[in-house]
Amino acid sequence: MTDPADAAKRLAAARALEFVRPGMRLGLGTGSTAAHFVALLGERVAQGLKVVGVPTSERTREQALSLNIPLSTLDETPELDLTVDGADEFDPMLRLIKGGGAALLREKIVAAASARLVGGTARATQVAPRGRFPLPVEVDLFGLESTRRHVVRISGEAGCSGFVVVRLDAHGHVLVTDGCHAILDCSFGAIPDPEGLARGLNAIPGVVEHGLFIGLAKTIIVADAAGVEVIGDLI
Ligand code: 5RP
């Protein structure tokens, strides 16, 4: 049976595909919504659409390669026209939480290189107040416990409290990202001051990047069984 949330993500991905124009340089996100987008993009490429993609993870690279989508890197193609990615949460100011798929560092680098970030997701993802999804923070493996304690302290100063745990893989080992870092999942619940928290986290030496995407998304596409809604810039 089709999972309704997954069906909604596919609808959102299909709508995001309408933003793609021939010749675009595209950032390809990571996760189930992005995988739908890449699959649909692959169909268009097979029909003759000319684009080039920069994947945000090894997973996405493999999927895109299997679909013969021409790929590049940010070194060869440092400026992108559009990135389509998923979101774990978003709020009315289009501030996102991302990183559920542990790809937040490359996702943020690619988003920052893009003229436009379009996020797609199932409607259930929108929450107010934000904080249902643990905030992922990507950290260096060196000094992991020390950095974790800094994250707890700094987050407390930004009004956040809750468990901060190292993400484990399916075998119970510390999950290691494509960039060879660890992920701390921070169960803060609502985040009263996302900008302040982002500043605080960025100031911790062992923090590589965090999953608060602030000021990056121009458009969010939300879908459910009733249809698709585009929030933010339409063009
Ligand atoms: C991966 C991400 C994903 O975009 C986010 O977790 C949403 O995933 P999905 O589309 O599967 O709901 O940030 O690091």
Side-chain angles (χ1 to χ4, degrees), residues 113-144:
S114 303
R116 181 165 192 201
L117 170 64
V118 171
T121 191
R123 182 170 295 282
T125 301
Q126 185 176 20
V127 290
R130 54 197 288 109
R132 181 181 52 89
F133 193 90
L135 173 68
V137 178
E138 187 155 346
V139 298
D140 203 290
L141 286 163
F142 180 84
L144 185 51

mmCIF file of all heavy atoms in Angstrom, residues 113-144:
data_model
loop_
_atom_site.group_PDB
_atom_site.id
_atom_site.type_symbol
_atom_site.label_atom_id
_atom_site.label_comp_id
_atom_site.label_asym_id
_atom_site.label_seq_id
_atom_site.Cartn_x
_atom_site.Cartn_y
_atom_site.Cartn_z
ATOM 1 N N ALA A 113 25.060 27.939 -2.645
ATOM 2 C CA ALA A 113 25.614 28.202 -3.983
ATOM 3 C C ALA A 113 24.508 28.402 -5.022
ATOM 4 O O ALA A 113 24.801 28.643 -6.190
ATOM 5 C CB ALA A 113 26.507 27.036 -4.415
ATOM 6 N N SER A 114 23.262 28.285 -4.585
ATOM 7 C CA SER A 114 22.137 28.310 -5.518
ATOM 8 C C SER A 114 21.403 29.639 -5.462
ATOM 9 O O SER A 114 21.197 30.203 -4.384
ATOM 10 C CB SER A 114 21.136 27.205 -5.158
ATOM 11 O OG SER A 114 21.775 25.961 -5.151
ATOM 12 N N ALA A 115 20.992 30.098 -6.632
ATOM 13 C CA ALA A 115 20.192 31.320 -6.664
ATOM 14 C C ALA A 115 18.866 31.098 -5.945
ATOM 15 O O ALA A 115 18.270 32.021 -5.405
ATOM 16 C CB ALA A 115 19.941 31.731 -8.114
ATOM 17 N N ARG A 116 18.452 29.844 -5.914
ATOM 18 C CA ARG A 116 17.146 29.569 -5.333
ATOM 19 C C ARG A 116 17.100 28.169 -4.731
ATOM 20 O O ARG A 116 17.565 27.221 -5.344
ATOM 21 C CB ARG A 116 16.104 29.673 -6.441
ATOM 22 C CG ARG A 116 14.725 29.429 -5.973
ATOM 23 C CD ARG A 116 13.774 29.906 -7.009
ATOM 24 N NE ARG A 116 12.470 29.932 -6.472
ATOM 25 C CZ ARG A 116 11.377 29.918 -7.187
ATOM 26 N NH1 ARG A 116 11.477 29.907 -8.499
ATOM 27 N NH2 ARG A 116 10.199 29.938 -6.630
ATOM 28 N N LEU A 117 16.552 28.069 -3.518
ATOM 29 C CA LEU A 117 16.316 26.764 -2.900
ATOM 30 C C LEU A 117 14.813 26.553 -2.810
ATOM 31 O O LEU A 117 14.091 27.350 -2.218
ATOM 32 C CB LEU A 117 16.915 26.713 -1.490
ATOM 33 C CG LEU A 117 16.542 25.490 -0.636
ATOM 34 C CD1 LEU A 117 17.078 24.192 -1.240
ATOM 35 C CD2 LEU A 117 17.071 25.649 0.793
ATOM 36 N N VAL A 118 14.348 25.484 -3.430
ATOM 37 C CA VAL A 118 12.936 25.102 -3.324
ATOM 38 C C VAL A 118 12.876 23.839 -2.474
ATOM 39 O O VAL A 118 13.512 22.833 -2.787
ATOM 40 C CB VAL A 118 12.314 24.850 -4.709
ATOM 41 C CG1 VAL A 118 10.928 24.246 -4.574
ATOM 42 C CG2 VAL A 118 12.241 26.156 -5.494
ATOM 43 N N GLY A 119 12.133 23.918 -1.378
ATOM 44 C CA GLY A 119 11.958 22.750 -0.525
ATOM 45 C C GLY A 119 10.624 22.107 -0.817
ATOM 46 O O GLY A 119 9.627 22.792 -1.041
ATOM 47 N N GLY A 120 10.600 20.804 -0.813
ATOM 48 C CA GLY A 120 9.344 20.093 -1.020
ATOM 49 C C GLY A 120 9.128 19.112 0.110
ATOM 50 O O GLY A 120 10.084 18.537 0.627
ATOM 51 N N THR A 121 7.870 18.950 0.524
ATOM 52 C CA THR A 121 7.614 18.011 1.606
ATOM 53 C C THR A 121 6.127 17.716 1.744
ATOM 54 O O THR A 121 5.297 18.309 1.063
ATOM 55 C CB THR A 121 8.181 18.566 2.939
ATOM 56 O OG1 THR A 121 8.135 17.524 3.905
ATOM 57 C CG2 THR A 121 7.394 19.769 3.427
ATOM 58 N N ALA A 122 5.819 16.777 2.650
ATOM 59 C CA ALA A 122 4.421 16.473 2.958
ATOM 60 C C ALA A 122 3.895 17.521 3.940
ATOM 61 O O ALA A 122 4.657 18.055 4.750
ATOM 62 C CB ALA A 122 4.319 15.089 3.562
ATOM 63 N N ARG A 123 2.606 17.795 3.878
ATOM 64 C CA ARG A 123 2.055 18.881 4.691
ATOM 65 C C ARG A 123 2.307 18.676 6.184
ATOM 66 O O ARG A 123 2.481 19.642 6.932
ATOM 67 C CB ARG A 123 0.553 19.022 4.430
ATOM 68 C CG ARG A 123 -0.089 20.155 5.209
ATOM 69 C CD ARG A 123 -1.491 20.423 4.759
ATOM 70 N NE ARG A 123 -1.578 20.899 3.397
ATOM 71 C CZ ARG A 123 -1.314 22.153 3.029
ATOM 72 N NH1 ARG A 123 -0.927 23.043 3.924
ATOM 73 N NH2 ARG A 123 -1.425 22.519 1.775
ATOM 74 N N ALA A 124 2.334 17.432 6.634
ATOM 75 C CA ALA A 124 2.512 17.155 8.058
ATOM 76 C C ALA A 124 3.807 17.753 8.601
ATOM 77 O O ALA A 124 3.987 17.894 9.808
ATOM 78 C CB ALA A 124 2.514 15.651 8.284
ATOM 79 N N THR A 125 4.706 18.151 7.705
ATOM 80 C CA THR A 125 6.010 18.674 8.111
ATOM 81 C C THR A 125 5.927 20.082 8.706
ATOM 82 O O THR A 125 6.781 20.485 9.478
ATOM 83 C CB THR A 125 6.939 18.682 6.874
ATOM 84 O OG1 THR A 125 7.020 17.343 6.407
ATOM 85 C CG2 THR A 125 8.323 19.161 7.212
ATOM 86 N N GLN A 126 4.884 20.827 8.320
ATOM 87 C CA GLN A 126 4.796 22.208 8.823
ATOM 88 C C GLN A 126 4.316 22.184 10.268
ATOM 89 O O GLN A 126 3.289 21.597 10.568
ATOM 90 C CB GLN A 126 3.835 23.033 7.989
ATOM 91 C CG GLN A 126 3.825 24.496 8.408
ATOM 92 C CD GLN A 126 2.935 25.329 7.502
ATOM 93 O OE1 GLN A 126 2.070 24.796 6.835
ATOM 94 N NE2 GLN A 126 3.158 26.620 7.512
ATOM 95 N N VAL A 127 5.041 22.807 11.136
ATOM 96 C CA VAL A 127 4.651 22.794 12.543
ATOM 97 C C VAL A 127 4.762 24.183 13.131
ATOM 98 O O VAL A 127 5.590 24.982 12.708
ATOM 99 C CB VAL A 127 5.526 21.838 13.385
ATOM 100 C CG1 VAL A 127 5.233 20.408 13.044
ATOM 101 C CG2 VAL A 127 6.979 22.154 13.206
ATOM 102 N N ALA A 128 3.947 24.468 14.074
ATOM 103 C CA ALA A 128 4.051 25.725 14.810
ATOM 104 C C ALA A 128 3.660 25.434 16.252
ATOM 105 O O ALA A 128 2.552 24.982 16.484
ATOM 106 C CB ALA A 128 3.134 26.780 14.206
ATOM 107 N N PRO A 129 4.503 25.659 17.248
ATOM 108 C CA PRO A 129 5.868 26.127 17.061
ATOM 109 C C PRO A 129 6.781 25.022 16.533
ATOM 110 O O PRO A 129 6.470 23.851 16.690
ATOM 111 C CB PRO A 129 6.284 26.530 18.474
ATOM 112 C CG PRO A 129 5.493 25.621 19.361
ATOM 113 C CD PRO A 129 4.188 25.384 18.651
ATOM 114 N N ARG A 130 7.886 25.451 15.906
ATOM 115 C CA ARG A 130 8.805 24.478 15.356
ATOM 116 C C ARG A 130 9.469 23.671 16.480
ATOM 117 O O ARG A 130 9.475 24.064 17.611
ATOM 118 C CB ARG A 130 9.857 25.159 14.494
ATOM 119 C CG ARG A 130 10.590 26.271 15.200
ATOM 120 C CD ARG A 130 11.304 27.172 14.231
ATOM 121 N NE ARG A 130 12.457 26.532 13.664
ATOM 122 C CZ ARG A 130 12.511 26.139 12.389
ATOM 123 N NH1 ARG A 130 11.510 26.316 11.594
ATOM 124 N NH2 ARG A 130 13.598 25.582 11.918
ATOM 125 N N GLY A 131 10.007 22.527 16.151
ATOM 126 C CA GLY A 131 10.739 21.774 17.151
ATOM 127 C C GLY A 131 10.271 20.342 17.341
ATOM 128 O O GLY A 131 10.735 19.646 18.230
ATOM 129 N N ARG A 132 9.374 19.868 16.509
ATOM 130 C CA ARG A 132 8.937 18.479 16.626
ATOM 131 C C ARG A 132 10.075 17.535 16.244
ATOM 132 O O ARG A 132 10.244 16.477 16.811
ATOM 133 C CB ARG A 132 7.743 18.259 15.694
ATOM 134 C CG ARG A 132 7.159 16.860 15.722
ATOM 135 C CD ARG A 132 6.005 16.782 14.729
ATOM 136 N NE ARG A 132 6.409 17.268 13.405
ATOM 137 C CZ ARG A 132 6.938 16.514 12.457
ATOM 138 N NH1 ARG A 132 7.142 15.232 12.681
ATOM 139 N NH2 ARG A 132 7.274 17.017 11.283
ATOM 140 N N PHE A 133 10.864 17.970 15.253
ATOM 141 C CA PHE A 133 11.939 17.130 14.740
ATOM 142 C C PHE A 133 13.235 17.512 15.446
ATOM 143 O O PHE A 133 13.535 18.698 15.563
ATOM 144 C CB PHE A 133 12.056 17.370 13.229
ATOM 145 C CG PHE A 133 12.907 16.354 12.538
ATOM 146 C CD1 PHE A 133 12.340 15.192 12.032
ATOM 147 C CD2 PHE A 133 14.270 16.543 12.405
ATOM 148 C CE1 PHE A 133 13.125 14.244 11.407
ATOM 149 C CE2 PHE A 133 15.062 15.598 11.787
ATOM 150 C CZ PHE A 133 14.492 14.439 11.282
ATOM 151 N N PRO A 134 14.015 16.538 15.923
ATOM 152 C CA PRO A 134 15.289 16.901 16.573
ATOM 153 C C PRO A 134 16.175 17.684 15.606
ATOM 154 O O PRO A 134 16.237 17.355 14.416
ATOM 155 C CB PRO A 134 15.927 15.553 16.912
ATOM 156 C CG PRO A 134 14.844 14.544 16.813
ATOM 157 C CD PRO A 134 13.804 15.089 15.871
ATOM 158 N N LEU A 135 16.829 18.702 16.113
ATOM 159 C CA LEU A 135 17.734 19.498 15.275
ATOM 160 C C LEU A 135 19.056 18.754 15.115
ATOM 161 O O LEU A 135 19.758 18.510 16.105
ATOM 162 C CB LEU A 135 17.982 20.861 15.932
ATOM 163 C CG LEU A 135 19.049 21.715 15.246
ATOM 164 C CD1 LEU A 135 18.556 22.174 13.871
ATOM 165 C CD2 LEU A 135 19.418 22.911 16.118
ATOM 166 N N PRO A 136 19.445 18.402 13.883
ATOM 167 C CA PRO A 136 20.742 17.750 13.688
ATOM 168 C C PRO A 136 21.877 18.794 13.658
ATOM 169 O O PRO A 136 21.727 19.859 13.059
ATOM 170 C CB PRO A 136 20.607 17.072 12.316
ATOM 171 C CG PRO A 136 19.158 17.171 11.944
ATOM 172 C CD PRO A 136 18.648 18.394 12.636
ATOM 173 N N VAL A 137 22.963 18.441 14.309
ATOM 174 C CA VAL A 137 24.156 19.297 14.290
ATOM 175 C C VAL A 137 25.322 18.410 13.869
ATOM 176 O O VAL A 137 25.576 17.380 14.506
ATOM 177 C CB VAL A 137 24.414 19.927 15.675
ATOM 178 C CG1 VAL A 137 25.684 20.769 15.649
ATOM 179 C CG2 VAL A 137 23.222 20.778 16.116
ATOM 180 N N GLU A 138 26.001 18.798 12.786
ATOM 181 C CA GLU A 138 27.127 17.986 12.292
ATOM 182 C C GLU A 138 28.396 18.458 12.991
ATOM 183 O O GLU A 138 28.708 19.657 13.004
ATOM 184 C CB GLU A 138 27.230 18.142 10.767
ATOM 185 C CG GLU A 138 28.257 17.208 10.157
ATOM 186 C CD GLU A 138 27.971 16.893 8.683
ATOM 187 O OE1 GLU A 138 26.848 17.177 8.203
ATOM 188 O OE2 GLU A 138 28.879 16.373 8.023
ATOM 189 N N VAL A 139 29.116 17.511 13.575
ATOM 190 C CA VAL A 139 30.291 17.868 14.384
ATOM 191 C C VAL A 139 31.488 17.014 13.996
ATOM 192 O O VAL A 139 31.336 15.889 13.500
ATOM 193 C CB VAL A 139 30.002 17.692 15.900
ATOM 194 C CG1 VAL A 139 28.887 18.621 16.350
ATOM 195 C CG2 VAL A 139 29.672 16.253 16.243
ATOM 196 N N ASP A 140 32.674 17.540 14.271
ATOM 197 C CA ASP A 140 33.887 16.774 14.019
ATOM 198 C C ASP A 140 33.927 15.575 14.967
ATOM 199 O O ASP A 140 33.467 15.662 16.120
ATOM 200 C CB ASP A 140 35.107 17.669 14.240
ATOM 201 C CG ASP A 140 36.313 17.151 13.496
ATOM 202 O OD1 ASP A 140 36.853 16.089 13.898
ATOM 203 O OD2 ASP A 140 36.717 17.802 12.522
ATOM 204 N N LEU A 141 34.489 14.470 14.486
ATOM 205 C CA LEU A 141 34.609 13.290 15.346
ATOM 206 C C LEU A 141 35.612 13.536 16.475
ATOM 207 O O LEU A 141 35.479 12.970 17.560
ATOM 208 C CB LEU A 141 35.057 12.081 14.513
ATOM 209 C CG LEU A 141 33.976 11.478 13.615
ATOM 210 C CD1 LEU A 141 34.599 10.581 12.549
ATOM 211 C CD2 LEU A 141 32.970 10.694 14.453
ATOM 212 N N PHE A 142 36.586 14.393 16.225
ATOM 213 C CA PHE A 142 37.572 14.696 17.262
ATOM 214 C C PHE A 142 36.887 15.503 18.378
ATOM 215 O O PHE A 142 36.248 16.524 18.120
ATOM 216 C CB PHE A 142 38.734 15.510 16.677
ATOM 217 C CG PHE A 142 39.786 15.851 17.694
ATOM 218 C CD1 PHE A 142 40.787 14.944 18.000
ATOM 219 C CD2 PHE A 142 39.755 17.071 18.356
ATOM 220 C CE1 PHE A 142 41.752 15.247 18.949
ATOM 221 C CE2 PHE A 142 40.720 17.385 19.309
ATOM 222 C CZ PHE A 142 41.718 16.469 19.604
ATOM 223 N N GLY A 143 37.012 15.024 19.590
ATOM 224 C CA GLY A 143 36.449 15.764 20.727
ATOM 225 C C GLY A 143 34.938 15.703 20.795
ATOM 226 O O GLY A 143 34.292 16.633 21.303
ATOM 227 N N LEU A 144 34.372 14.612 20.304
ATOM 228 C CA LEU A 144 32.914 14.512 20.167
ATOM 229 C C LEU A 144 32.167 14.820 21.474
ATOM 230 O O LEU A 144 31.221 15.624 21.487
ATOM 231 C CB LEU A 144 32.580 13.095 19.671
ATOM 232 C CG LEU A 144 31.154 12.754 19.332
ATOM 233 C CD1 LEU A 144 30.543 13.767 18.380
ATOM 234 C CD2 LEU A 144 31.101 11.351 18.711
#
